[in-house]
Amino acid sequence: MSKIKKLSKESFPLLIKKISETQHVYGPVSQGKRISYQRISSADELASDFIIPDMSAKSFVFPKIEKLFSYTKNKDGVEVQDINLDNIPHRVVVGIRPCDAAGMESLKAIFSWDPSDPIFETRLKRTTFIGLACNQADDYCFCTSLGGSPGDTKGSDILLTKTDTGDYIAEILTSKGEKIVTLAPDLFQDVEGDLQKEKFLANVPKRFDNSDLQNKINAAFNTDVFDEYAMRCMGCSACAFVCPICACFDIQDETKGSKGQRVRLWDSCGAKLFTLHTSGHNPRETQGARWRQRLMHKFSYMPERLEVRGCVGCGRCSRRCPVDMNIAESLNQLIIDN
Amino acid sequence: MGAINEIAARLLETGEAKVVIGYGEGSFGSVRPAFARNQEEAEKLIYDKRCTQNLAMYVYKKEISPLRKLAIVANVSTLRGIIRLASENQIKNGDIITLYINELGEVIECKALSEIEICLAEITPEIKPEDKELIDKLDAMTPQERWNFWISEMESCIKCYACRQACPLCYCTQCAVEVNQPQWIPVAANTSGNLEWHITRAMHLSGRCVECGQCGEACPVNIPIHLLPIKLAEEIKNIYGTVSGMKIQESNTLSTFKPDDKENFIG
């Protein structure tokens, strides 16, 4: 249903203003040394000239803290109060990067895999993604090695590509995207001919050949390639938490007196507690086994079970790793060795 | 081959060290921690001005510690980390050979911990100018403004514990946040959970922090979290005159009572 329109640079802020009259609008905002997706009320607040926000967009559908239900203990037992899905807001995210948007497809596969998660589903359904194609990239970007691209439309409801004049090519991709257009149809101009979107996209060279990646990574399972990683990886959760797809979670009860709530929190396979048994045994004893799990889950188990990969090549884990655990380099090494 | 590679190669060959912890070329012009276990890996070690990371936390890391004897390539931060670990009985003489590279680029091979103390005796520790600037800015704030600053910064915290993992002194086998009976610190990365975690960590490091700033460097969301322990180190120096990580026999300032301790903070 893709339709191509033009959105002039003057119309873009007017569109943000129009949307924010009825819905909460979010976009990449600069806060000192940090760029993150934040609530905005005008286009002026949006950060410019950067590669990618520090945190991914997954928190729109899988926040770092998700209340699942609340409970009250009384003399007859425990009374459970479900959360009211009606309270989940309608939101529009402007300027989401194509890799983050593509990550939504993988998250959807995880959270709808038997049983479907109603909170996630509702959040996703009520979020509209207006993507912004990448016109710059850095050495850590490797979306093209995993089938993505700086202008990939996957996961976006509208994809904007900024042209050399500052105007945008707008691809209207879904019915949610159509709804945005109907809010301000006059701002979107019809176009004739090919606008040559490709001309305005960043160049992201392929870092490795992904054909047969799953088999090659499986073949590495019992090799000593992970020994060096075992020493270097310091076992924090930064890679998992900045990742647009890592979705492992921890469940905690927060109780105060007779009342409490059950929450879902981000968790990470890099942490030693992740698999520690109460007996004291840990099936992933070393940091090398944990790093292997991170790769196997993303590039073997997820493709096998969900038919999607657990990585879109945004490069955040490698950019933010305090000890330079570079995932693309690691994959490349596994491909060469196997 | 530079001196560092030759020394590493020799230590591995003679069996004086099973692994040399050092620096190697990283991604796209950066450096990364590197581990030489054989001649080939020893050749790849580097040392230049990019090597600012404190590597002392690798000394007690589970995957490395059993390989003792170790050797470690050290800048001043790493030296101070090692000395502090020794003063807390985490390293003993003979566990580690330290290859300190001084300002002139000379490699000083310290086999005994006392030799590290001699190297440190010639050094006046300094914090980075940009950290000093931000500390001054925070000092000039009212308590309310400072509180607001930290609350705002803490909102970005995702509790990934990179700060803890990067710290040469966070060696507890079970961290307070991992205790759940009782649950001292909320697990969730919300305002109270984040504040309680960072305040607990800063207090646990006070008098111990070697001011390397590694916790702040490691933070994936750029919270200047290193300023908390660094500021406390400054306070302790001003009040008690002690600096952590310079001498093995230094007192554990905040856990040691001395009859002549100042008591002017009471009342």
PDB file of all heavy atoms in Angstrom, chain A residues 106-124:
ATOM      1  N   SER A 106      11.126  -8.010  15.070  1.00  0.00           N
ATOM      2  CA  SER A 106      11.706  -9.105  15.850  1.00  0.00           C
ATOM      3  C   SER A 106      11.083  -9.152  17.242  1.00  0.00           C
ATOM      4  O   SER A 106      10.798 -10.229  17.762  1.00  0.00           O
ATOM      5  CB  SER A 106      13.224  -8.939  15.964  1.00  0.00           C
ATOM      6  OG  SER A 106      13.811  -9.011  14.689  1.00  0.00           O
ATOM      7  N   LEU A 107      10.885  -7.973  17.834  1.00  0.00           N
ATOM      8  CA  LEU A 107      10.247  -7.927  19.159  1.00  0.00           C
ATOM      9  C   LEU A 107       8.840  -8.518  19.095  1.00  0.00           C
ATOM     10  O   LEU A 107       8.414  -9.250  19.977  1.00  0.00           O
ATOM     11  CB  LEU A 107      10.154  -6.478  19.661  1.00  0.00           C
ATOM     12  CG  LEU A 107      11.426  -5.869  20.248  1.00  0.00           C
ATOM     13  CD1 LEU A 107      11.208  -4.393  20.537  1.00  0.00           C
ATOM     14  CD2 LEU A 107      11.841  -6.590  21.527  1.00  0.00           C
ATOM     15  N   LYS A 108       8.141  -8.196  18.002  1.00  0.00           N
ATOM     16  CA  LYS A 108       6.775  -8.697  17.826  1.00  0.00           C
ATOM     17  C   LYS A 108       6.786 -10.225  17.765  1.00  0.00           C
ATOM     18  O   LYS A 108       5.945 -10.900  18.368  1.00  0.00           O
ATOM     19  CB  LYS A 108       6.195  -8.111  16.532  1.00  0.00           C
ATOM     20  CG  LYS A 108       4.705  -8.260  16.418  1.00  0.00           C
ATOM     21  CD  LYS A 108       4.232  -7.571  15.159  1.00  0.00           C
ATOM     22  CE  LYS A 108       2.804  -7.999  14.872  1.00  0.00           C
ATOM     23  NZ  LYS A 108       2.376  -7.553  13.560  1.00  0.00           N
ATOM     24  N   ALA A 109       7.771 -10.758  17.060  1.00  0.00           N
ATOM     25  CA  ALA A 109       7.876 -12.219  16.957  1.00  0.00           C
ATOM     26  C   ALA A 109       8.114 -12.836  18.340  1.00  0.00           C
ATOM     27  O   ALA A 109       7.548 -13.878  18.672  1.00  0.00           O
ATOM     28  CB  ALA A 109       9.011 -12.583  16.001  1.00  0.00           C
ATOM     29  N   ILE A 110       8.926 -12.169  19.148  1.00  0.00           N
ATOM     30  CA  ILE A 110       9.206 -12.701  20.495  1.00  0.00           C
ATOM     31  C   ILE A 110       7.953 -12.654  21.361  1.00  0.00           C
ATOM     32  O   ILE A 110       7.567 -13.644  21.976  1.00  0.00           O
ATOM     33  CB  ILE A 110      10.337 -11.883  21.183  1.00  0.00           C
ATOM     34  CG1 ILE A 110      11.657 -12.015  20.423  1.00  0.00           C
ATOM     35  CG2 ILE A 110      10.515 -12.315  22.643  1.00  0.00           C
ATOM     36  CD1 ILE A 110      12.738 -11.031  20.857  1.00  0.00           C
ATOM     37  N   PHE A 111       7.308 -11.489  21.390  1.00  0.00           N
ATOM     38  CA  PHE A 111       6.200 -11.301  22.328  1.00  0.00           C
ATOM     39  C   PHE A 111       4.879 -11.906  21.841  1.00  0.00           C
ATOM     40  O   PHE A 111       3.931 -11.977  22.616  1.00  0.00           O
ATOM     41  CB  PHE A 111       6.023  -9.810  22.660  1.00  0.00           C
ATOM     42  CG  PHE A 111       7.028  -9.311  23.655  1.00  0.00           C
ATOM     43  CD1 PHE A 111       8.161  -8.618  23.249  1.00  0.00           C
ATOM     44  CD2 PHE A 111       6.858  -9.555  25.012  1.00  0.00           C
ATOM     45  CE1 PHE A 111       9.098  -8.168  24.163  1.00  0.00           C
ATOM     46  CE2 PHE A 111       7.790  -9.109  25.941  1.00  0.00           C
ATOM     47  CZ  PHE A 111       8.911  -8.418  25.514  1.00  0.00           C
ATOM     48  N   SER A 112       4.810 -12.323  20.598  1.00  0.00           N
ATOM     49  CA  SER A 112       3.559 -12.970  20.185  1.00  0.00           C
ATOM     50  C   SER A 112       3.755 -14.484  20.060  1.00  0.00           C
ATOM     51  O   SER A 112       2.918 -15.197  19.540  1.00  0.00           O
ATOM     52  CB  SER A 112       3.015 -12.360  18.888  1.00  0.00           C
ATOM     53  OG  SER A 112       4.040 -12.138  17.992  1.00  0.00           O
ATOM     54  N   TRP A 113       4.881 -14.950  20.582  1.00  0.00           N
ATOM     55  CA  TRP A 113       5.193 -16.379  20.478  1.00  0.00           C
ATOM     56  C   TRP A 113       4.592 -17.124  21.669  1.00  0.00           C
ATOM     57  O   TRP A 113       5.183 -17.224  22.703  1.00  0.00           O
ATOM     58  CB  TRP A 113       6.716 -16.556  20.431  1.00  0.00           C
ATOM     59  CG  TRP A 113       7.188 -17.955  20.246  1.00  0.00           C
ATOM     60  CD1 TRP A 113       6.783 -18.836  19.303  1.00  0.00           C
ATOM     61  CD2 TRP A 113       8.180 -18.633  21.035  1.00  0.00           C
ATOM     62  NE1 TRP A 113       7.465 -20.016  19.434  1.00  0.00           N
ATOM     63  CE2 TRP A 113       8.321 -19.926  20.485  1.00  0.00           C
ATOM     64  CE3 TRP A 113       8.963 -18.286  22.132  1.00  0.00           C
ATOM     65  CZ2 TRP A 113       9.213 -20.860  21.009  1.00  0.00           C
ATOM     66  CZ3 TRP A 113       9.854 -19.211  22.648  1.00  0.00           C
ATOM     67  CH2 TRP A 113       9.963 -20.491  22.083  1.00  0.00           C
ATOM     68  N   ASP A 114       3.390 -17.537  21.558  1.00  0.00           N
ATOM     69  CA  ASP A 114       2.748 -18.478  22.467  1.00  0.00           C
ATOM     70  C   ASP A 114       3.076 -18.337  23.946  1.00  0.00           C
ATOM     71  O   ASP A 114       4.060 -18.920  24.393  1.00  0.00           O
ATOM     72  CB  ASP A 114       3.095 -19.915  22.009  1.00  0.00           C
ATOM     73  CG  ASP A 114       2.190 -20.928  22.705  1.00  0.00           C
ATOM     74  OD1 ASP A 114       1.046 -20.542  23.033  1.00  0.00           O
ATOM     75  OD2 ASP A 114       2.625 -22.070  22.918  1.00  0.00           O
ATOM     76  N   PRO A 115       2.324 -17.650  24.780  1.00  0.00           N
ATOM     77  CA  PRO A 115       1.128 -16.916  24.370  1.00  0.00           C
ATOM     78  C   PRO A 115       1.492 -15.476  23.982  1.00  0.00           C
ATOM     79  O   PRO A 115       2.541 -14.982  24.369  1.00  0.00           O
ATOM     80  CB  PRO A 115       0.297 -16.926  25.667  1.00  0.00           C
ATOM     81  CG  PRO A 115       1.332 -16.880  26.750  1.00  0.00           C
ATOM     82  CD  PRO A 115       2.535 -17.612  26.233  1.00  0.00           C
ATOM     83  N   SER A 116       0.583 -14.861  23.268  1.00  0.00           N
ATOM     84  CA  SER A 116       0.789 -13.470  22.879  1.00  0.00           C
ATOM     85  C   SER A 116       0.713 -12.582  24.133  1.00  0.00           C
ATOM     86  O   SER A 116      -0.040 -12.870  25.056  1.00  0.00           O
ATOM     87  CB  SER A 116      -0.299 -13.097  21.888  1.00  0.00           C
ATOM     88  OG  SER A 116      -0.215 -11.745  21.601  1.00  0.00           O
ATOM     89  N   ASP A 117       1.514 -11.544  24.174  1.00  0.00           N
ATOM     90  CA  ASP A 117       1.572 -10.674  25.347  1.00  0.00           C
ATOM     91  C   ASP A 117       0.663  -9.458  25.121  1.00  0.00           C
ATOM     92  O   ASP A 117       0.959  -8.618  24.276  1.00  0.00           O
ATOM     93  CB  ASP A 117       3.021 -10.227  25.546  1.00  0.00           C
ATOM     94  CG  ASP A 117       3.202  -9.433  26.816  1.00  0.00           C
ATOM     95  OD1 ASP A 117       2.775  -8.261  26.849  1.00  0.00           O
ATOM     96  OD2 ASP A 117       3.740  -9.986  27.774  1.00  0.00           O
ATOM     97  N   PRO A 118      -0.444  -9.381  25.864  1.00  0.00           N
ATOM     98  CA  PRO A 118      -1.422  -8.323  25.564  1.00  0.00           C
ATOM     99  C   PRO A 118      -0.885  -6.910  25.809  1.00  0.00           C
ATOM    100  O   PRO A 118      -1.245  -5.974  25.086  1.00  0.00           O
ATOM    101  CB  PRO A 118      -2.592  -8.626  26.504  1.00  0.00           C
ATOM    102  CG  PRO A 118      -2.055  -9.533  27.556  1.00  0.00           C
ATOM    103  CD  PRO A 118      -0.890 -10.251  26.964  1.00  0.00           C
ATOM    104  N   ILE A 119      -0.013  -6.760  26.799  1.00  0.00           N
ATOM    105  CA  ILE A 119       0.504  -5.408  27.076  1.00  0.00           C
ATOM    106  C   ILE A 119       1.405  -4.958  25.927  1.00  0.00           C
ATOM    107  O   ILE A 119       1.260  -3.856  25.393  1.00  0.00           O
ATOM    108  CB  ILE A 119       1.269  -5.366  28.425  1.00  0.00           C
ATOM    109  CG1 ILE A 119       0.351  -5.822  29.559  1.00  0.00           C
ATOM    110  CG2 ILE A 119       1.813  -3.977  28.688  1.00  0.00           C
ATOM    111  CD1 ILE A 119       1.025  -5.905  30.917  1.00  0.00           C
ATOM    112  N   PHE A 120       2.296  -5.841  25.519  1.00  0.00           N
ATOM    113  CA  PHE A 120       3.174  -5.521  24.381  1.00  0.00           C
ATOM    114  C   PHE A 120       2.354  -5.226  23.130  1.00  0.00           C
ATOM    115  O   PHE A 120       2.563  -4.223  22.443  1.00  0.00           O
ATOM    116  CB  PHE A 120       4.145  -6.682  24.118  1.00  0.00           C
ATOM    117  CG  PHE A 120       4.960  -6.494  22.867  1.00  0.00           C
ATOM    118  CD1 PHE A 120       6.162  -5.812  22.910  1.00  0.00           C
ATOM    119  CD2 PHE A 120       4.500  -6.967  21.634  1.00  0.00           C
ATOM    120  CE1 PHE A 120       6.900  -5.604  21.751  1.00  0.00           C
ATOM    121  CE2 PHE A 120       5.236  -6.763  20.473  1.00  0.00           C
ATOM    122  CZ  PHE A 120       6.442  -6.085  20.536  1.00  0.00           C
ATOM    123  N   GLU A 121       1.399  -6.132  22.844  1.00  0.00           N
ATOM    124  CA  GLU A 121       0.576  -5.991  21.635  1.00  0.00           C
ATOM    125  C   GLU A 121      -0.135  -4.635  21.610  1.00  0.00           C
ATOM    126  O   GLU A 121      -0.175  -3.965  20.590  1.00  0.00           O
ATOM    127  CB  GLU A 121      -0.487  -7.104  21.598  1.00  0.00           C
ATOM    128  CG  GLU A 121       0.092  -8.490  21.395  1.00  0.00           C
ATOM    129  CD  GLU A 121       0.368  -8.796  19.937  1.00  0.00           C
ATOM    130  OE1 GLU A 121      -0.389  -8.322  19.083  1.00  0.00           O
ATOM    131  OE2 GLU A 121       1.359  -9.506  19.670  1.00  0.00           O
ATOM    132  N   THR A 122      -0.686  -4.257  22.784  1.00  0.00           N
ATOM    133  CA  THR A 122      -1.428  -2.991  22.839  1.00  0.00           C
ATOM    134  C   THR A 122      -0.485  -1.816  22.639  1.00  0.00           C
ATOM    135  O   THR A 122      -0.790  -0.868  21.909  1.00  0.00           O
ATOM    136  CB  THR A 122      -2.161  -2.872  24.190  1.00  0.00           C
ATOM    137  OG1 THR A 122      -2.877  -4.082  24.405  1.00  0.00           O
ATOM    138  CG2 THR A 122      -3.115  -1.703  24.206  1.00  0.00           C
ATOM    139  N   ARG A 123       0.672  -1.876  23.282  1.00  0.00           N
ATOM    140  CA  ARG A 123       1.645  -0.782  23.113  1.00  0.00           C
ATOM    141  C   ARG A 123       2.037  -0.629  21.645  1.00  0.00           C
ATOM    142  O   ARG A 123       2.088   0.477  21.114  1.00  0.00           O
ATOM    143  CB  ARG A 123       2.902  -1.045  23.947  1.00  0.00           C
ATOM    144  CG  ARG A 123       2.723  -0.793  25.420  1.00  0.00           C
ATOM    145  CD  ARG A 123       4.084  -0.678  26.119  1.00  0.00           C
ATOM    146  NE  ARG A 123       3.927  -0.559  27.546  1.00  0.00           N
ATOM    147  CZ  ARG A 123       3.646   0.586  28.171  1.00  0.00           C
ATOM    148  NH1 ARG A 123       3.494   1.698  27.477  1.00  0.00           N
ATOM    149  NH2 ARG A 123       3.516   0.620  29.489  1.00  0.00           N
ATOM    150  N   LEU A 124       2.310  -1.770  21.001  1.00  0.00           N
ATOM    151  CA  LEU A 124       2.740  -1.714  19.601  1.00  0.00           C
ATOM    152  C   LEU A 124       1.618  -1.172  18.711  1.00  0.00           C
ATOM    153  O   LEU A 124       1.838  -0.327  17.849  1.00  0.00           O
ATOM    154  CB  LEU A 124       3.188  -3.105  19.134  1.00  0.00           C
ATOM    155  CG  LEU A 124       3.795  -3.177  17.724  1.00  0.00           C
ATOM    156  CD1 LEU A 124       5.059  -2.318  17.618  1.00  0.00           C
ATOM    157  CD2 LEU A 124       4.125  -4.611  17.324  1.00  0.00           C
TER     158      LEU A 124
END
